[in-house]
Amino acid sequence: MNLVYEEGGDIKIATVQSASGAGDAESWQATSLSGKKIKLKAKEVWLRFDKPEAQSVMDAANTLSKDIDLQLLWDCAPEEEFGLVDVSLEYFGAQATIPQQTALAIALQGAPVFFRRKGRGRFQRAPLEQLQAGLAALERKQKELEQQSLWQQELVSGSFPEALKSLAKQLLFSPDKNTAAYKALIAACTETGESPAQLMIRCGAIDSPLAYHQGMFLKAHFPNGATHNPNLSVDQATYAAAVAELPLAEVKAFSIDDSGTTEIDDALSVTELPNGGHRIGIHIAAPGLAIAKDDPLDQVARNRMSTVYFPGDKITMLPDSVIEQFSLDEGASRPALSIYVDIDTEGIANRDSLQMRAEMVPMVANLRLENIEHLVSEESLVDEDSSYPYRKELAVLWRAAKLLHAGRQEKRIANGLRAEQLGVIDPNALARDFHFQIKDVDGVERVEILPRQRGSILDTIVAEWMIFCNSASGQLLADHGLPGLFRTQKGWGPLRTRMQTTPGPHEGLGLDYYAWCTSPLRRYSDLVNQWQLIALAKNGVMAKMVAPFPPRDATLMGIAADFESSYQTYGEYQDRLEKYWCLRWIAQDGDSKNLYVRHLKEGMSRVELVPLHLPIPELASYPRMTRAEVAVANIDLLQLTAAVRVLEIEARAESVEKVTQEGSDALLDGVEENVGPD
């Protein structure tokens, strides 16, 4: 005997091997057509038959079920609940065969729009209104499938459907996976073996791999776009009120930056004192005078946390109009928060002379590195015949900067770290800073990557005095019990460098206190610290009562965590785009290029001329800084990968990188205070 039953929504047939019980309690041990051993109860069985043979019945039923007119079947079915045998008599007549009845079971089971399931082998036809709605939905679904198929064909052929062009970025970066458009895209990718990004670039929906990398970042971190609201600014009345009572500083301030810098946050001044010493002024742009905590500009800055830098462009933390108001541009007096310290004739700083005040600072000059860096040397600083601007002031700053650096190295040694070398590092060592110049040449973007060695005299002057400013600011906050965002480094391990709201040492820099405050136009941490310092400058010992962030403020703790996360994410994005442009630099003159690399560790090497790291397993067993010539080819600008073939390995490493591991975190923090491309 054979039994028709339902399993997992499908109609199946099994052949009985043995039976037990009787009536409603009867059950059978049976074998399905697939050979599976099963047990069936009487209530689970739809039909019983001895002949024809089970497999022939199923084959015939599958064929017959495709020809069953579901609308006619619905018309034939009674309004009340019915069984399979009952409706088969209405549809096929009294002589309905086993294959016909089984075909009807398959049709009923597969037509939920027409018939509701009321139990095993029991159904009830759907009400007319629901049937009409269901049929309309099926028609829409069929049209969607047809449209999906047409879109798939267009995508495979390399043409992006016109109707989908407005949805291109959404399909790639934040797709609704239930839409026909997305299903067509994935089906086309499956057919061609491409990723969605590869296919959309081939179809012209995405301009280039660069657009893909940028789009992924913007969608994740700037879902509403990176452009600032044009109506968001500091109005003239607010600006005037903020600077109205500020005194005019009796200094001639100048900044030192490269030509690409547009957010000039910091400047220096040197004033001669009657005793032969000098008063050094570190002047920091003061947007905190006009931007208040929780106002619209603060909300924008807090949401972004930092300016995002990457080759060829940047996304500013604050609107351009605000930057223009507070950037320390030459030719006018600008609002600034100034820290002054006196140095004697030897260049030794007197910390007891430390002063801080908010004031209008006359900006006399914006010095550009490209114009004077090559002129400044130990010899020229003391040469009265040298004619570059601010030679005397730079000589004073340099003499004191060397002493500041030496003092920090003493503390580094006391902390168990090696002293850092002052000045330009070993020319044989790998360069750590690069300037990416992206130019349009006959309609084609070309990149030039220029190495820049840190450690020049101007570099050191700016770095040491900005580090001093951050240290002094941290000390002022700590001495007056004000919380802030302190950059600390203590001990060892991956989390030894972190941002916290209470004072702590920075062992890598050799400082007792360190709070970022010199870049309030481009870092939210610095803007927060500036608010606290402005409260201190204006209110002295009463600052705790009026500062925007009181001690143990939960909001400030949240800002510290959010800043760390955003700063790391933005740094990773900058690294990603630098890797993209490095690969473009290799590929722009041909499909492959021979280059020299230096092995770092565990098979990871760095190209000498550009900041590109490549895995080269063949070098894994060689010493650090081993030099090798390699051929780089098969560059994939979407995956940011390349194939590397070793051509020649030098017998021994000829140079050793001078920056030690224990000093690397200190270097990363210190370089933030150095000059460089914005």
Side-chain angles (χ1 to χ4, degrees), residues 359-376:
E359 58 189 2
M360 298 297 290
V361 174
M363 284 300 303
V364 179
N366 295 140
L367 303 182
R368 299 299 181 177
L369 286 169
E370 293 83 353
N371 299 331
I372 65 169
E373 188 171 32
H374 62 286
L375 301 174
V376 180

Side-chain angles (χ1 to χ4, degrees), residues 11 25 50 201 231 260 425 455 460 485 532 575 608 615:
I11 300 300
D50 292 317
I201 289 174
N231 299 320
I425 62 176
T460 304
L485 295 178
Q532 301 293 87
D575 291 343
E608 286 187 342

Side-chain angles (χ1 to χ4, degrees), residues 22-298:
D24 292 341
E26 189 174 7
S27 63
W28 300 270
Q29 296 292 335
T31 304
S32 69
L33 292 177
S34 65
K36 179 182 177 182
K37 303 294 184 181
I38 59 173
K39 181 179 180 180
L40 293 173
K41 297 180 181 179
K43 63 180 181 179
E44 298 174 325
V45 175
W46 291 28
L47 287 174
R48 309 177 194 183
F49 65 93
D50 292 317
K51 293 181 179 180
E53 188 264 332
Q55 185 63 59
S56 64
V57 170
M58 181 56 72
D59 293 341
N62 283 328
T63 301
L64 289 170
S65 66
K66 298 175 183 177
D67 296 327
I68 290 177
D69 187 334
L70 293 173
Q71 182 62 58
L72 176 60
L73 184 59
W74 186 87
D75 292 335
C76 294
E79 292 187 4
E80 63 274 8
E81 183 181 322
F82 60 86
L84 173 61
V85 176
D86 301 329
V87 78
S88 65
L89 296 176
E90 292 290 335
Y91 189 82
F92 287 110
Q95 302 303 317
T97 65
I98 293 298
Q100 288 174 331
Q101 293 181 54
T102 306
L104 200 60
I106 295 172
L108 287 167
Q109 185 71 9
V113 171
F114 287 85
F115 300 98
R116 298 175 177 176
R117 297 167 189 166
K118 306 298 289 185
R120 288 184 173 88
R122 306 290 298 175
F123 296 90
Q124 185 176 17
R125 73 178 192 176
L128 180 60
E129 296 80 3
Q130 293 184 14
L131 174 61
Q132 291 172 338
L135 290 174
L138 286 176
E139 185 178 1
R140 288 195 301 272
K141 180 66 174 178
Q142 182 60 34
K143 289 182 178 179
E144 286 182 2
L145 290 174
E146 292 172 358
Q147 183 64 75
Q148 177 181 323
S149 179
L150 291 174
W151 285 339
Q152 179 182 341
Q153 293 171 20
E154 288 186 67
L155 290 168
V156 169
S157 68
S159 175
F160 199 78
E162 188 67 31
L164 302 184
K165 287 186 176 178
S166 62
L167 303 174
K169 291 186 177 180
Q170 180 181 338
L171 281 173
L172 190 57
F173 303 127
S174 57
D176 180 350
K177 297 184 178 181
N178 293 318
T179 62
Y182 180 76
K183 292 175 181 177
L185 175 64
I186 296 304
C189 290
T190 301
E191 185 174 344
T192 62
E194 297 171 296
S195 69
Q198 288 172 325
L199 188 145
M200 293 180 77
I201 289 174
R202 180 168 63 84
C203 292
I206 300 296
D207 293 338
S208 65
L210 177 61
Y212 168 74
H213 295 302
Q214 292 175 333
M216 286 289 288
F217 174 77
L218 292 175
K219 189 61 185 177
H221 303 286
F222 295 86
N224 298 320
T227 305
H228 285 284
N229 183 343
N231 299 320
L232 195 61
S233 62
V234 176
D235 61 75
Q236 289 301 318
T238 302
Y239 179 84
V243 304
E245 298 181 1
L246 297 181
L248 181 64
E250 296 181 0
V251 299
K252 294 180 179 179
F254 59 93
S255 65
I256 305 173
D257 297 279
D258 72 14
S259 57
T261 302
T262 57
E263 302 155 291
I264 301 179
D265 293 282
D266 53 80
L268 298 164
S269 66
V270 179
T271 305
E272 192 169 353
L273 298 176
N275 62 2
H278 295 85
R279 176 162 295 164
I280 307 300
I282 307 110
H283 312 285
I284 308 302
L289 291 168
I291 300 174
K293 179 188 174 187
D294 296 328
D295 74 6
L297 279 170
D298 172 45

Side-chain angles (χ1 to χ4, degrees), residues 6 29 138 177 183 262 301 307 328 342 346 356 395 411 419 545 552 565-566 572 612 626:
E6 178 266 332
Q29 296 292 335
L138 286 176
K177 297 184 178 181
K183 292 175 181 177
T262 57
T307 291
L328 301 182
D342 293 347
E346 300 297 321
M356 178 179 64
K411 286 199 172 183
M545 307 295 292
R552 294 182 295 278
S565 176
S566 296
E572 290 170 354
L612 176 64
T626 295

Side-chain angles (χ1 to χ4, degrees), residues 477-535:
L477 292 173
D479 289 348
H480 290 83
L482 283 172
L485 295 178
F486 295 87
R487 188 78 169 170
T488 66
Q489 185 188 104
K490 187 173 178 66
W492 300 94
L495 299 179
R496 63 176 181 150
T497 304
R498 62 194 185 100
M499 194 77 75
Q500 61 186 46
T501 60
T502 54
H506 195 301
E507 293 181 347
L509 289 174
L511 299 170
D512 293 328
Y513 306 102
Y514 190 63
W516 275 347
C517 68
T518 55
S519 301
L521 292 174
R522 60 187 182 93
R523 277 196 310 235
Y524 190 66
S525 59
D526 302 50
L527 180 60
V528 166
N529 285 336
Q530 186 171 91
W531 283 331
Q532 301 293 87
L533 292 168
I534 288 173

Side-chain angles (χ1 to χ4, degrees), residues 644-659:
V644 182
R645 180 167 57 90
V646 177
L647 302 176
E648 183 181 358
I649 301 174
E650 293 190 355
R652 57 187 295 274
E654 294 182 356
S655 63
V656 178
E657 198 170 25
K658 297 299 183 181
V659 180

